[in-house]
Amino acid sequence: MSTVAFPIPVKAAGGCSDAPVLRERGQHEVFCGLTGIIWLHRKIQDAFFLVVGSRTCAHLIQSAAGVMIFAEPRFATAIIDERDLAGLADANTELDRVVGQLLARRPEIKLLFLVGSCPSEVIKLDLSRAASRLSAQHSPSVRVLNYSGSGIETTFTQGEDACLASMVPELPVQAADAQQELIVVGTLADVVEDQFIRLFAQMGMDRVRFFPPRRAADQAPVGPHTRLLLAQPFLADTARALQARGAQLLSAPFPLGIEGTTAWLQAAATAFGVPAQRFEAAVSAPTARATAALARARLHLEGKSIFFFPDSQLEIPLARFLARELGMRLLEVGTPYLHRLHMAQELALLPEGTFLSEGQHVENQLDRCRAAHPDLVVCGLGLANPLESEGMTTKWAIELVFTPIQGFDQAGDLAELFTRPLVRRMRLAA
Ligand code: SF4
């Protein structure tokens, strides 16, 4: 196990900073943005997500979330049926009626998202006008916002970006004489968020907010004194909207693995003038724990090859972690979109010569994957079964979004997500 000392010197350029990227525009196999509801509804505890969609949309989120029998779910689908599609019913009247019933039955809802889908786009239902109308009707107890999770407009994790971007205009204006404040942007599991809150507190940083918040009313003021640190790599629109309100983006890799987490925290610590000794005191114990956890995983992963299909936009940070901290060989790292600015530090850390691709032409990529014979393939659910039946070992990309993987104390769990399918394949072969 190669240990990683801190502070991590993050290269400004190098690695794959200027590497060529294969751009593909063909058929792609990715979930739509509705999937984000699965983790967003757990995070914002008094929000409700009403998908304005079809039975297909309802099946997608129900099967992705599992059937909740004992809890009142905080998402649902208002089904657009044949009468709506044929223009026989006034979809707006129907929507107002459904929302009225929902809010009367569920007074704990403080923030309602109307989530657009392919069918609502096809019939050109204007959900932004519907949200303003319903917000006026139900304020101040409920705010109604809208965003699109449609497969026409969004892939998988872009649903979260669209959701968070819809919340930015609602955030209060920061006072002109406000102190500098950090806003960590991107949904993190509560357990991870609590760990980061403790680490920031140990560094003496107490003006830290997380976005999205756990409660809808907990709105961080935004302005020129806001320093913005991305916790997820798929939030281009949200970051742009916050920057347009004056927030300043801190450049950092993403908090995956020891190296990524240390550099991510370091970016915040530098911006807030945390002394080096205080920073080291805060991160030394969790770094040691993570180092021990990764040593075990490295026994299984070192020298193994991995191929990433584009799915969640987490691919590049994951590849950097697997290559640099666990010794895996990167055959291809595919990403649905490559945001060069947000990925600058990650690309600089990727091993030189890594094959990068952006977008997808699924048939071409399958050919490359078969030719490369990877030990492990990270891909969407739709590709995993066919590839397994061809003898390949796969990891579902969606699991990497659902599982808490950020931070020091999750580094071992993150590595284990990759060792598990390899160990299972070994056992089956024995
Ligand atoms: S939004 Fe579109 S792609 Fe997503 S489940 Fe509904 S119909 Fe399918």
Side-chain angles (χ1 to χ4, degrees), residues 31 35 39 64 156 311 379-381 396-403:
F31 278 129
T35 330
W39 59 91
F156 193 14
D311 217 277
C379 60
L381 290 171
W396 292 350
I398 197 165
E399 258 189 88
L400 296 155
V401 182
F402 285 174
T403 314

Side-chain angles (χ1 to χ4, degrees), residues 276-316:
Q277 268 188 336
R278 189 152 191 189
F279 179 79
E280 288 170 17
V283 301
S284 60
T287 300
R289 283 197 299 274
T291 303
L294 292 189
R296 291 189 290 276
R298 196 173 174 112
L299 296 175
H300 294 287
L301 296 176
E302 188 160 29
K304 295 280 191 308
S305 59
I306 188 160
F307 189 109
F308 283 89
F309 280 81
D311 217 277
S312 63
Q313 299 188 51
L314 282 162
E315 294 84 3
I316 291 175

Side-chain angles (χ1 to χ4, degrees), residues 362-386:
V362 72
E363 292 303 331
N364 290 353
Q365 200 171 28
L366 281 167
D367 289 345
R368 293 199 297 276
C369 182
R370 290 182 185 116
H373 292 298
D375 293 308
L376 188 59
V377 180
V378 180
C379 60
L381 290 171
L383 293 177
N385 280 351

Side-chain angles (χ1 to χ4, degrees), residues 118-187:
C118 304
S120 67
E121 277 176 23
V122 167
I123 64 166
K124 305 224 178 306
L125 187 54
D126 187 341
L127 289 183
S128 102
R129 282 182 63 188
S132 316
R133 182 178 69 239
L134 287 162
S135 235
Q137 252 175 51
H138 297 281
S139 73
S141 51
V142 185
R143 285 182 293 136
V144 185
L145 299 176
N146 78 288
Y147 71 90
S148 173
S150 135
I152 301 168
E153 285 189 16
T154 58
T155 64
F156 193 14
T157 47
Q158 279 182 299
E160 171 169 345
D161 192 19
C163 174
L164 300 194
S166 79
M167 296 169 74
V168 172
E170 300 271 300
L171 297 176
V173 177
Q174 195 172 50
D177 59 351
Q179 287 182 40
Q180 183 169 275
E181 191 168 70
L182 181 68
I183 182 166
V184 176
V185 177
T187 300

Side-chain angles (χ1 to χ4, degrees), residues 31-304:
F31 278 129
C32 67
L34 293 189
T35 330
I37 292 171
I38 311 311
W39 59 91
L40 285 163
H41 90 273
R42 290 191 196 129
K43 188 73 211 175
I44 317 172
Q45 291 158 16
D46 49 4
F48 194 98
F49 294 80
L50 184 65
V51 178
V52 185
S54 63
R55 286 182 209 288
T56 310
C57 309
H59 286 310
L60 173 86
I61 57 167
Q62 263 170 17
S63 52
V67 180
M68 289 197 257
I69 299 170
F70 300 108
E72 278 261 53
R74 280 187 290 102
F75 55 84
T77 307
I79 308 275
I80 296 174
D81 60 21
E82 288 77 12
R83 273 168 45 81
D84 301 302
L85 289 170
L88 296 176
D90 182 342
N92 279 301
T93 312
E94 291 285 298
L95 185 59
D96 291 7
R97 185 180 58 77
V98 170
V99 168
Q101 279 176 348
L102 171 70
L103 296 179
R105 201 165 60 81
R106 303 285 297 275
E108 77 279 10
I109 296 170
K110 299 293 173 228
L111 178 60
L112 174 66
F113 290 101
L114 304 179
V115 188
S117 66
C118 304
S120 67
E121 277 176 23
V122 167
I123 64 166
K124 305 224 178 306
L125 187 54
D126 187 341
L127 289 183
S128 102
R129 282 182 63 188
S132 316
R133 182 178 69 239
L134 287 162
S135 235
Q137 252 175 51
H138 297 281
S139 73
S141 51
V142 185
R143 285 182 293 136
V144 185
L145 299 176
N146 78 288
Y147 71 90
S148 173
S150 135
I152 301 168
E153 285 189 16
T154 58
T155 64
F156 193 14
T157 47
Q158 279 182 299
E160 171 169 345
D161 192 19
C163 174
L164 300 194
S166 79
M167 296 169 74
V168 172
E170 300 271 300
L171 297 176
V173 177
Q174 195 172 50
D177 59 351
Q179 287 182 40
Q180 183 169 275
E181 191 168 70
L182 181 68
I183 182 166
V184 176
V185 177
T187 300
L188 294 168
D190 288 354
V191 58
V192 175
E193 199 173 292
D194 290 341
Q195 287 166 11
F196 284 142
I197 290 169
R198 280 197 295 276
L199 281 168
F200 285 128
Q202 284 166 16
M203 290 183 224
M205 291 173 56
D206 52 5
R207 302 188 64 79
V208 181
R209 304 269 208 147
F210 288 79
F211 183 71
R214 297 185 197 188
R215 295 269 155 204
D218 182 15
Q219 294 180 299
V222 189
H225 305 290
T226 304
R227 300 293 171 269
L228 151 63
L229 188 58
L230 289 174
Q232 298 285 6
F234 40 74
L235 299 171
D237 288 350
T238 308
R240 201 177 303 122
L242 286 163
Q243 286 177 281
R245 301 257 329 249
Q248 288 179 30
L249 179 70
L250 301 180
S251 176
F254 292 90
L256 300 177
I258 300 171
E259 185 178 37
T261 305
T262 307
W264 186 80
L265 290 167
Q266 180 72 70
T270 303
F272 283 75
V274 176
Q277 268 188 336
R278 189 152 191 189
F279 179 79
E280 288 170 17
V283 301
S284 60
T287 300
R289 283 197 299 274
T291 303
L294 292 189
R296 291 189 290 276
R298 196 173 174 112
L299 296 175
H300 294 287
L301 296 176
E302 188 160 29
K304 295 280 191 308

